[in-house]
Amino acid sequence: MELIAIAFGAIFVNNVVLKQFYGLCPFLGVSTKKSSALSMGAAVTFVITLSAIIAHLLYTLVLEPYDITYLSTIVFILVIASFVQLVEMFIKRFSAPLYSALGVYLPLITTNCAVLGVAIDATVNKTKIFGDLDPTVLHVAIYAFGISIGYALVIFLFSAIREEMDAYPIKKNWEGIPIALITAFIMAMIFVGFGGIV
Amino acid sequence: MAKQKSLKSVFSAGLFKQNPVFVQFLGMCPTLAVTGSVENALGMGAGVVFVLVVANFVVSLIRNYVPREVRIPIYIVIIASLVTILEMFMKAFVPDLAASLGTFLSLIVVNCLILGRAEAFASNNKPLSSIFDGLGMALGFTGGLVLIAFFRELLGAGTVLGMQIIPADYQISILVQAAGAFLVFGILVSQVNKIRLARMSESEVA
């Protein structure tokens, strides 16, 4: 039950893009086509979930016992950057179709603040998310997976709306980013409605 | 004389023509997340000024000694160290501000503005002009944040820097919530675009 609440909260209530404002650059940049939004969503899901697990293990097994938690920002960004490189090399070596679908998005993910944001939230700022509960690896994994599903869901829905919107004339000064922001505003209003559930 | 002028133009590019918030759309996550109040926007702006100016300076100093293949990891380590210093400083001296900026204080590391300036400007310019570039960009960023925060705080909570201006019955509280950030930023960008389009067509006629 607890795990379901964590997952639901992560996907809808605290939606990573619309509520927490993580990962907006790719959200607005990549979401012009449904296919690229799906690939981005898949790549992000993979990287966020695994890097949050790695960050949690590092934090509880290394940083906390040796009392060097002030180094967590540096450690996490280095681990995430090298992890993304590793994933890229791995996919390139073993799966050509997967690489052609995700390859170009992987380097972009290093600077996606959702990855570092979730890693920090799940460790340094864990009371913000888990309250009094001391999160285990399972809790962190479920939370990170929920967050990334929320990301993939929103970026896909958003790209579908933007594809439709291309067919209609828009005033010149509203084209591109401004109209995308207004669309995101309406989506965010809808997601506010989930707030009462958990 | 020519040198002075170039420094000035480097500095003012970040403020207006290449404004990171409204023209380049760099670092949008903090742009939307910390603009619920003018105070938070100023705090975030001060942090970015420190990190961007020092990072630009350091990157520019070592620009001739860094092998091109590993430059990005090196820049990231420099930026992450500066952000850690900033975090420790803010937690010690302004704990309330640090708490309200929350995770976004650490997320200055992945603010594309800082890595972007290190890569695009500081890595092939002299230290002094890199400092000016960093200062201009960071102040442009701060100005953009404060502008958004001003409208959100004034219309949403009726206050500016905590001073009550609009009575409680006439506030649009959605604007200080998460969703309102998209609306205010979208409207402001459209108006900035309008001015830029008007300027462009003017210069074409002339």
Side-chain angles (χ1 to χ4, degrees), chain A residues 27 34-35 37-38 151-161:
Chain A
F27 177 66
K34 268 186 276 191
S35 56
L38 265 187
Y151 191 89
L153 178 75
V154 168
I155 198 171
F156 178 69
L157 291 176
F158 194 62
S159 67
I161 297 172

Side-chain angles (χ1 to χ4, degrees), chain B residues 66-79:
Chain B
V66 173
R68 284 204 78 71
E69 297 79 24
V70 292
R71 68 188 190 285
I72 300 289
I74 290 177
Y75 297 164
I76 289 180
V77 172
I78 293 170
I79 295 168

Side-chain angles (χ1 to χ4, degrees), chain B residues 129-144:
Chain B
S129 53
S130 297
I131 290 179
F132 274 84
D133 174 74
L135 203 60
M137 285 289 164
L139 289 179
F141 184 72
T142 312

Side-chain angles (χ1 to χ4, degrees), chain B residues 49-142:
Chain B
V49 168
F50 165 73
V51 176
L52 186 53
V53 170
V54 181
N56 257 6
F57 177 64
V58 175
V59 166
S60 169
L61 279 184
I62 61 169
R63 70 187 186 282
N64 295 329
Y65 308 103
V66 173
R68 284 204 78 71
E69 297 79 24
V70 292
R71 68 188 190 285
I72 300 289
I74 290 177
Y75 297 164
I76 289 180
V77 172
I78 293 170
I79 295 168
S81 321
L82 290 171
V83 170
T84 305
I85 295 170
L86 179 73
E87 265 179 276
M88 294 164 96
F89 181 83
M90 278 203 166
K91 276 180 188 152
F93 292 101
V94 276
D96 293 345
L97 186 64
S100 63
L101 292 178
T103 313
F104 281 95
L105 193 53
S106 321
L107 287 184
I108 297 178
V109 178
V110 280
N111 189 329
C112 359
L113 172 63
I114 294 164
L115 193 61
R117 289 329 288 173
E119 166 75 8
F121 195 92
S123 65
N124 40 34
N125 278 286
K126 291 214 172 83
L128 188 63
S129 53
S130 297
I131 290 179
F132 274 84
D133 174 74
L135 203 60
M137 285 289 164
L139 289 179
F141 184 72
T142 312

Side-chain angles (χ1 to χ4, degrees), chain A residues 20-25 28 70 73-74 77-78 113 117 120-121 125 128 172-174 177-178 181 184-185 188-189, chain B residues 25 28-29 32-33 76 84 87 103-104 106-107 109-110 112 174 178-179 182-183 185-186 189-190 193-194 197:
Chain A
Q20 306 193 52
F21 301 119
Y22 291 160
L24 281 168
C25 302
L28 294 168
Y70 60 88
T73 307
I74 297 183
I77 187 71
L78 288 179
C113 56
I120 291 175
D121 276 348
N125 298 340
K128 185 176 118 190
K172 195 110 177 114
N173 60 327
W174 286 92
I177 300 277
L181 286 166
F185 163 65
M189 295 271 280
Chain B
F25 302 109
M28 267 191 292
C29 307
L32 292 170
I76 289 180
T84 305
E87 265 179 276
T103 313
F104 281 95
S106 321
L107 287 184
V109 178
V110 280
C112 359
I174 188 78
F182 290 109
L183 182 69
F185 188 38
V189 171
S190 77
N193 279 353
K194 204 172 182 176
L197 287 170

